[in-house]
Amino acid sequence: MLKIKQDKNEFEIINILEMVQIIYNDGKMDIFKAVQITDEGVYTGRIRNHNEFIDGGFIPKQNIKKIIDGIERKIRKRKSNF
């Protein structure tokens, strides 16, 4: 069977927040360079080459008490093949 190769450079445009402060339900706080907010929670990560979001972690929605600050930007994210 012939396997169809997908383009590895497929991107989607997403909204991210830069320099965000997240306060957890237990009162602890973290600052992240970039986050993507979804219905399930928050993907944390960084921005590579000023225009591509690389996610590195995930925080479930039920663990977050408050999200403070952040500069909103539209940026590219590589589409997942899964």
Side-chain angles (χ1 to χ4, degrees), residues 51-67:
N51 62 358
E52 183 182 352
F53 179 71
I54 307 295
D55 56 3
F58 181 76
I59 305 169
K61 192 175 188 177
Q62 61 267 19
N63 293 350
I64 299 172
K65 181 177 183 179
K66 192 174 188 183
I67 298 174

Side-chain angles (χ1 to χ4, degrees), residues 16-20 31-35 44-47 53:
I16 63 152
L17 294 173
E18 288 185 286
M19 297 307 295
V20 175
I31 297 174
F32 296 96
K33 289 186 178 184
V35 299
T44 62
R46 61 186 176 88
I47 299 173
F53 179 71

